[in-house]
Amino acid sequence: MAQNKMKYSNHIYYLLFFFLLASCKKSNTFPEGSTSLVIVNAIPGSKPLKADFTDGKNPLFIYSRSISYGDVSTNSNFYLGYKGEQHLKLYQYPDTTVKDQPLFDMRFEIPPGSMQTLFLTGTTAAPESVRLNESFPEIPWKDSAMAVRFIHLSPGSEAVTVNLQGSSEKIVSGLAYRQVTDFRKYVVLATTADYVFEIRDALSGNLITSYTFTKTAGNLRYRRNFYTVVFGGLPGESGQLAHRTFRLSHLTGF
């Protein structure tokens, strides 16, 4: 019975979420009184995280969403309706009993009408976070464009630069750990080639990793959307801990 109730609640949640997104894309602001919190897990080696907003009232984690490392989706990372002072605890699943210590235990304010993004970074031994109150640039309806920004969430890594593949122009210079850039617009036309962003060590110029917006040409899901490309992972590591990139889509979840 509880599981069926949770599934029903999820359907209502998704309908509300996409209604609010449709309103948001018209003005680049959230409807008055509505709120949005996106939680992004960029902690290398972390287990899936479970969010507790109940202020110690023992939530049913078995039915809650998992916030996985390097993965962002509407049904896992986006939280609506939380406003005012919040007491958020984040546990590594399955370590979610009252005897377990949360990886994060924080209090913060979510004002009505605000959109916030909480980036979790650092390591499981020394977790850190970056919380942003979002404000998106205007993209007129007549413009076929998207907006992209970058955030450095690789603990222990030096500052980086960003350039488009095949170009020596630096889109971003000297981006240090826990810093985030402003949004920059990029055209999305029927003839637009894939955007390949290369992330390089700012001192040596050596390529560290890259991120590609695939199938860009004429793709309507990119048009008038806002993306954060996350640079994460750990220097000198391999496998799941290695340097990597992934993206957050702020207005559609794609």
Side-chain angles (χ1 to χ4, degrees):
M1 177 68 70
Q3 192 168 10
N4 289 336
K5 184 177 180 181
M6 178 61 67
K7 289 181 179 179
Y8 175 77
S9 298
N10 282 343
H11 291 322
I12 298 298
Y13 169 85
Y14 296 137
L15 288 173
L16 176 61
F17 179 78
F18 286 110
F19 170 77
L20 291 175
L21 288 183
S23 301
C24 183
K25 293 191 76 172
K26 292 179 181 179
S27 63
N28 293 334
T29 60
F30 234 37
E32 183 178 356
S34 303
T35 62
S36 169
L37 174 67
V38 183
I39 304 176
V40 179
N41 181 0
I43 304 175
S46 65
K47 300 174 184 177
L49 301 178
K50 297 284 189 174
D52 173 14
F53 289 92
T54 68
D55 201 13
K57 297 178 182 178
N58 297 327
L60 293 175
F61 284 110
I62 190 172
Y63 298 124
S64 64
R65 293 167 274 166
S66 294
I67 306 171
S68 299
Y69 168 60
D71 186 29
V72 182
S73 65
T74 303
N75 61 342
S76 296
N77 302 74
F78 287 65
Y79 293 80
L80 294 179
Y82 293 91
K83 63 182 67 174
E85 183 179 351
Q86 301 298 319
H87 184 191
L88 171 62
K89 295 181 181 180
L90 288 155
Y91 293 85
Q92 293 192 87
Y93 191 77
D95 303 328
T96 56
T97 70
V98 292
K99 297 180 180 179
D100 294 312
Q101 291 297 316
L103 189 61
F104 289 89
D105 187 343
M106 58 180 69
R107 294 181 183 271
F108 55 91
E109 187 80 14
I110 303 180
S114 67
M115 300 178 69
Q116 295 191 9
T117 306
L118 176 62
F119 293 96
L120 309 176
T121 183
T123 64
T124 54
E128 300 177 282
S129 65
V130 177
R131 185 167 57 91
L132 302 176
N133 286 298
E134 301 293 6
S135 178
F136 301 110
E138 182 70 25
I139 301 180
W141 278 103
K142 63 181 180 62
D143 290 354
S144 184
M146 64 179 180
V148 180
R149 72 180 180 187
F150 298 85
I151 187 169
H152 185 329
L153 296 180
S154 175
S157 294
E158 300 298 330
V160 298
T161 64
V162 181
N163 64 275
L164 281 170
Q165 188 178 67
S167 172
S168 60
E169 178 188 357
K170 293 178 181 178
I171 299 170
V172 177
S173 298
L175 184 65
Y177 177 55
R178 296 179 66 192
Q179 288 186 341
V180 61
T181 70
D182 293 331
F183 283 101
R184 179 170 173 172
K185 298 176 186 177
Y186 298 88
V187 297
V188 181
L189 303 173
T191 56
T192 302
D194 290 351
Y195 285 104
V196 182
F197 294 98
E198 296 181 334
I199 298 177
R200 299 177 178 273
D201 182 274
L203 185 60
S204 68
N206 292 334
L207 179 66
I208 301 174
T209 186
S210 64
Y211 186 83
T212 303
F213 282 83
T214 59
K215 300 180 180 178
T216 308
N219 196 328
L220 293 180
R221 77 175 184 179
Y222 290 132
R223 187 174 182 267
R224 300 191 73 253
N225 206 342
F226 302 87
Y227 297 96
T228 297
V229 174
V230 178
F231 167 57
L234 299 174
E237 295 289 348
S238 59
Q240 292 296 317
L241 300 180
H243 278 136
R244 62 173 300 180
T245 55
F246 62 94
R247 83 176 182 218
L248 160 64
S249 172
H250 290 270
L251 298 187
T252 66
F254 297 110

